[in-house]
Amino acid sequence: MKLLNRSLVYITTVFFVVIGVWSVIFYFNLKDEIRDSIDDGIDNNRLLIIIKVESDSTLLLQNEFGGNNFKIRPISKQEALTFRDVFKDTMMYRLNENDLEPVRILHSAFERNNEYYKLTVISSLVEEDDLIEDSFWSVVSLFLILVVSIIVVNNIVLRKVWNPFYEILNQLKTYRLDKNENSIEINSKTKEFIQLQEASNTLINRSKEAYFSQKEFTENASHELQTPIAIIIGNLEMLLESPDLKDKDADIIAQVINIAGRLKRLNNSLLLLAKIENKQFFEEETTSINEVAKSLISNYDDLIDFKEIKIEVLESSDLMVKINNSLVEILLSNLIKNSIFHNKKEGKIKIKISAEEFVICNTGNPKALDSKSIFNRFVKDQTKTQSTGLGLAISNAICKSYNLTISYEFTEDLHCFKINFKNILNLD
Amino acid sequence: MKILIIEDEADLRETIKESLVKEQYIVETADDYSIALEKVAIYDYDCILLDIMLPKGNGLDLLEELKKMGKSENVIIISAKNALDDKIRGLALGADDYLTKPFHLAELNARIKAVLRRKNFQGKDCIELGNAVLDIQERTLNVDKQNVHLNKKEFDILNYFMSNKNRLITKTSLAEYVWGDNIDQADNYDFIYYQIKNLRKKLEESNAEIVLESIYGVGYKLAEK
């Protein structure tokens, strides 16, 4: 959720609650106030009627409301003396509205010439449901007006206020450690944003240092190890060419050359892993997975023929992705090589390329591999001593660096590796 | 043929030198930037092996100097750095080839031979041994002017052997040459053995005057009959 919207949600919620509670309280206060003033009016009417009765006794005959707002009925003295004025809400039929409407009613008693009377005065009351409805809509419109004005204020004013923040964010998002770019710069006098800028730059400089020292280390480590290995291999090869060598000795020398070769591959693979994890492959190009896969397969034609493997490539779509060229070749060639080397004679390889997936399945050992550990470093087929056990770890690291999912499945006696390229599809 | 090795690591320098002397080259060495610069300025070499990390200077700077003198086209960079930037810069500066350490001596031989061929036989990139002619550009083998059909890997293997006449090539080195860099399964020798067997049969059937000999069971050697 965006920052702007988040603050909007909080403010709207608070407004909703505050206005809701306030309108309930306001409603009851208003109703009380109205009732009070009506009661005062009725009381005043009562006094006026009592005074008027003194001079006009015909009013005493008014025992129904008729058109007036009072009626008078004689009562016994006893009843009159125990009588207390009482205000009540009640419903009365109204001709014009053809409905029962709320009225305020006052029951009172008075005495005239030793005769006792009960006086009832009415006054029409505000229609409560109408009042509720009217005030409800007023409150809703108030609420809406407030929310709309907050949105407007948020968008115009806050966007301006937060602009330096978004600027920093954008610069951070596109920042490339490997490109040796300038520090982040913004135009702001706000203290917090200046602090954010400074903190970002400190962090960038530290990461830069770490990045370059790690890059330097991988390269130096490569140099320092590769040269001794080169000397070992060179010297042993020279030794192997000396004329008076016994078969047994030659065999041992060949074995050591072999081991040195393994050392070399191990070193290369670990360096490659470090480089991938260090994101030192950054140039990206639009690449067709179909093309890369097919050209890699053609490199192994002879070996595929030799092992009499049937290879089947199903292309339901052209899979175009944005990826580093070297990495995609390493990724696919690791999988294709595995599918050949771990295959059996007269086996099968099935490659499926769809709109977003590359799937490669091969026959081989009829037992599922451990799908959890298979992508870990140094997990290898114990019968293949020359293997470094890093091939799939490298593939996995490449997938991780591009946020791709790689998975393993064993179905219908086929070992299947699936890569989903959804995140780096080239859609142009 | 004169070759200059510019390499600061004494052991490696000597091993390479020994191997190249066996190939009948005149070999000179330099172990730092200034000596190397002096030598390349005074003498002409048919091929220069150049290490990138050198005491008192960078191999790429030396390459730049060579380019100014118009002598950069027969340089093979040998570097432990597999860094892509260096490779691209090196080749852009006119170096002919880039070989990453560690390498097999046979591989180095093959690369040097390729550079020398391109330098000395302009345009015509062929290796001739006895009655066999291997055309690198056309990727064909002719024995007594008769074409002998080779598949892709057989051609690569024969090319490797013909560039290393009379030199022992171990199975490891051959496997790496055939499978390329970063190969994880170099123990797959059955295929290599099978290719060698086919190659021998084809050479024999076409009466080629070259033969692939097994040495100690650890490798092979190509010899002229």
Side-chain angles (χ1 to χ4, degrees):
Chain A
M1 192 186 272
K2 280 174 109 176
L3 188 67
L4 279 175
N5 298 343
R6 187 168 283 274
S7 58
L8 198 65
V9 165
Y10 287 131
I11 294 174
T12 311
T13 317
V14 170
F15 273 15
F16 188 76
V17 173
V18 168
I19 292 177
V21 171
W22 172 83
S23 53
V24 169
I25 293 169
F26 176 75
Y27 173 76
F28 282 108
N29 278 342
L30 187 69
K31 219 172 92 175
D32 272 4
E33 199 49 51
I34 291 170
R35 196 149 300 173
D36 262 10
S37 85
I38 288 175
D39 288 357
D40 287 352
I42 295 177
D43 205 34
N44 187 45
N45 271 356
R46 179 182 65 97
L47 291 173
L48 287 175
I49 291 165
I50 291 170
I51 291 164
K52 206 158 182 201
V53 164
E54 296 290 328
S55 58
D56 182 3
S57 63
T58 58
L59 290 178
L60 292 172
L61 302 173
Q62 175 94 26
N63 55 4
E64 280 302 325
F65 290 116
N68 290 320
N69 64 343
F70 67 96
K71 62 179 183 184
I72 296 170
R73 175 168 68 88
I75 49 170
S76 65
K77 183 185 177 183
Q78 235 166 353
E79 203 183 337
L81 288 178
T82 54
F83 206 89
R84 292 280 173 274
D85 284 4
V86 56
F87 290 97
K88 268 185 191 160
D89 287 349
T90 185
M91 305 294 278
M92 271 181 94
Y93 179 77
R94 281 236 198 135
L95 205 60
N96 60 345
E97 306 245 339
N98 188 22
D99 200 3
L100 291 171
E101 292 294 329
V103 289
R104 192 70 174 162
I105 196 161
L106 168 65
H107 297 286
S108 183
F110 67 94
E111 180 256 330
R112 184 180 177 264
N113 301 337
N114 279 330
E115 299 279 329
Y116 294 89
Y117 302 93
K118 179 183 170 193
L119 170 67
T120 310
V121 188
I122 57 166
S123 171
S124 66
L125 206 52
V126 180
E127 291 172 38
E128 219 165 294
D129 47 352
D130 286 356
L131 181 67
I132 291 177
E133 203 183 314
D134 282 355
S135 41
F136 174 76
W137 286 118
S138 314
V139 167
V140 167
S141 54
L142 172 71
F143 178 72
L144 288 180
I145 289 166
L146 278 173
V147 169
V148 167
S149 45
I150 287 165
I151 291 175
V152 171
V153 168
N154 242 355
N155 271 293
I156 296 171
V157 181
L158 285 189
R159 206 177 275 267
K160 254 187 193 164
V161 171
W162 281 96
N163 198 37
F165 172 78
Y166 288 111
E167 219 175 287
I168 292 178
L169 193 64
N170 274 335
Q171 291 188 36
L172 277 178
K173 257 195 222 160
T174 53
Y175 201 90
R176 296 262 298 266
L177 286 176
D178 48 87
K179 289 271 169 166
N180 215 353
E181 291 174 3
N182 294 331
S183 321
I184 285 179
E185 269 173 49
I186 48 155
N187 258 327
S188 173
K189 290 197 172 84
T190 316
K191 193 178 153 203
E192 281 83 354
F193 291 136
I194 293 171
Q195 280 177 348
L196 183 62
Q197 179 199 356
E198 280 164 3
S200 308
N201 281 332
T202 316
L203 201 61
I204 284 173
N205 286 336
R206 259 187 237 147
S207 313
K208 238 192 218 166
E209 271 166 36
Y211 175 83
F212 283 110
S213 76
Q214 196 171 346
K215 191 176 168 185
E216 208 185 323
F217 174 76
T218 50
E219 281 170 14
N220 287 349
S222 158
H223 183 252
E224 297 310 321
L225 273 174
Q226 305 294 57
T227 307
I229 297 172
I231 295 168
I232 294 173
I233 292 177
N235 279 331
L236 288 174
E237 280 176 347
M238 290 306 295
L239 183 61
L240 208 48
E241 284 186 306
S242 58
D244 43 357
L245 211 59
K246 288 190 190 111
D247 274 15
K248 218 177 101 194
D249 299 334
D251 208 38
I252 291 170
I253 294 168
Q255 272 178 40
V256 180
I257 291 177
N258 221 335
I259 291 166
R262 222 168 107 194
L263 203 57
K264 169 178 121 179
R265 287 193 297 281
L266 198 61
N267 191 34
N268 280 341
S269 301
L270 282 173
L271 285 170
L272 180 62
L273 260 179
K275 279 186 184 171
I276 295 166
E277 283 167 4
N278 205 11
K279 306 222 185 306
Q280 286 179 20
F281 295 88
F282 41 82
E283 299 298 339
E284 287 169 13
E285 279 168 55
T286 304
T287 309
S288 159
I289 295 294
N290 309 51
E291 296 298 317
V292 175
K294 278 187 281 191
S295 102
L296 285 170
I297 293 166
S298 78
N299 282 347
Y300 298 109
D301 270 352
D302 299 329
L303 185 63
I304 291 168
D305 286 349
F306 171 67
K307 288 189 96 167
E308 293 170 54
I309 293 169
K310 269 207 199 100
I311 188 157
E312 201 182 324
V313 184
L314 295 169
E315 301 168 82
S316 62
S317 172
D318 218 11
L319 182 49
M320 302 293 285
V321 296
K322 276 193 86 105
I323 196 167
N324 179 277
N325 261 341
S326 316
L327 288 186
V328 73
E329 277 193 18
I330 294 167
L331 173 62
L332 295 188
S333 76
N334 275 349
L335 294 180
I336 291 171
K337 269 189 278 188
N338 276 346
S339 76
I340 299 170
F341 285 111
H342 297 287
N343 217 322
K344 55 183 187 193
K345 217 165 164 82
E346 294 176 39
K348 262 194 313 195
I349 296 176
K350 264 192 200 166
I351 294 176
K352 270 183 274 180
I353 303 172
S354 61
E356 54 181 52
E357 277 181 347
F358 172 86
V359 186
I360 181 164
C361 298
N362 64 276
T363 50
N365 190 345
K367 230 177 78 189
L369 303 165
D370 180 3
S371 60
K372 275 191 195 120
S373 68
I374 189 169
F375 294 109
N376 292 349
R377 294 179 185 195
F378 305 113
V379 174
K380 60 180 179 185
D381 184 346
Q382 293 304 329
T383 59
K384 301 250 192 303
T385 52
Q386 288 289 313
S387 163
T388 56
L390 286 171
L392 283 175
I394 289 172
S395 299
N396 193 31
I398 294 172
C399 287
K400 253 194 190 159
S401 74
Y402 283 98
N403 242 332
L404 310 175
T405 42
I406 181 165
S407 56
Y408 166 78
E409 215 173 47
F410 185 71
T411 44
E412 295 166 16
D413 278 349
L414 288 172
H415 300 274
C416 291
F417 288 88
K418 182 158 71 179
I419 305 172
N420 192 315
F421 288 95
K422 187 170 70 193
N423 289 330
I424 53 165
L425 287 183
N426 184 57
L427 299 169
D428 318 331
Chain B
M1 296 279 176
K2 247 164 81 176
I3 295 179
L4 175 65
I5 306 169
I6 307 169
E7 163 68 61
D8 58 319
E9 199 75 41
D11 291 325
L12 188 60
R13 195 172 59 235
E14 288 313 308
T15 311
I16 295 174
K17 185 177 174 181
E18 200 184 327
S19 166
L20 294 183
V21 166
K22 265 194 179 174
E23 295 283 318
Q24 317 289 326
Y25 298 122
I26 300 159
V27 183
E28 285 188 29
T29 57
D31 58 5
D32 70 25
Y33 182 87
S34 44
I35 297 174
L37 189 61
E38 204 182 300
K39 286 202 170 176
V40 296
I42 300 171
Y43 307 105
D44 278 331
Y45 294 95
D46 296 289
C47 183
I48 298 169
L49 306 181
L50 175 64
D51 187 12
I52 290 202
M53 283 181 167
L54 285 175
K56 298 188 216 166
N58 186 304
L60 290 175
D61 296 337
L62 191 68
L63 194 57
E64 228 153 319
E65 293 297 324
L66 279 167
K67 197 179 179 183
K68 279 184 208 155
M69 296 180 230
K71 290 178 180 176
S72 69
E73 75 279 355
N74 51 354
V75 172
I76 297 175
I77 296 172
I78 41 171
S79 171
K81 275 189 174 178
N82 196 8
L84 212 58
D85 296 348
D86 282 354
K87 203 176 266 187
I88 292 166
R89 234 185 105 197
L91 296 178
L93 282 172
D96 195 278
D97 210 343
Y98 192 107
L99 192 57
T100 308
K101 285 183 205 168
F103 45 80
H104 293 279
L105 292 173
E107 175 86 43
L108 179 65
N109 259 341
R111 306 268 188 129
I112 292 174
K113 289 263 166 65
V115 168
L116 295 178
R117 273 199 316 271
R118 279 195 287 271
K119 185 179 152 74
N120 296 326
F121 311 98
Q122 279 119 4
K124 196 168 159 272
D125 200 355
C126 290
I127 308 176
E128 284 188 50
L129 280 180
N131 58 353
V133 180
L134 197 68
D135 189 320
I136 312 295
Q137 268 154 359
E138 305 287 324
R139 293 183 69 86
T140 53
L141 170 69
N142 285 309
V143 178
D144 286 332
K145 299 197 172 101
Q146 290 291 304
N147 182 265
V148 179
H149 175 76
L150 298 180
N151 72 28
K152 231 169 8 188
K153 293 291 179 223
E154 284 167 355
F155 177 87
D156 290 339
I157 291 170
L158 189 60
N159 182 7
Y160 199 38
F161 276 114
M162 286 178 81
S163 300
N164 284 286
K165 192 182 88 172
N166 287 327
R167 299 294 297 268
L168 169 66
I169 293 180
T170 60
K171 287 179 189 168
T172 319
S173 150
L174 196 56
E176 276 177 35
Y177 182 77
V178 171
W179 297 125
D181 270 353
N182 286 319
I183 175 74
D184 212 13
Q185 278 93 358
D187 60 338
N188 211 294
Y189 292 142
D190 294 353
F191 174 67
I192 303 283
Y193 178 70
Y194 177 76
Q195 299 291 321
I196 299 268
K197 208 175 80 181
N198 281 351
L199 201 51
R200 276 176 170 161
K201 211 162 89 189
K202 284 180 183 174
L203 291 174
E204 206 170 312
E205 278 169 3
S206 62
N207 290 317
E209 287 161 354
I210 47 176
V211 67
L212 293 173
E213 297 169 355
S214 290
I215 307 288
Y216 306 122
V218 300
Y220 306 91
K221 189 163 95 177
L222 181 131
E224 268 183 277
K225 269 186 200 168

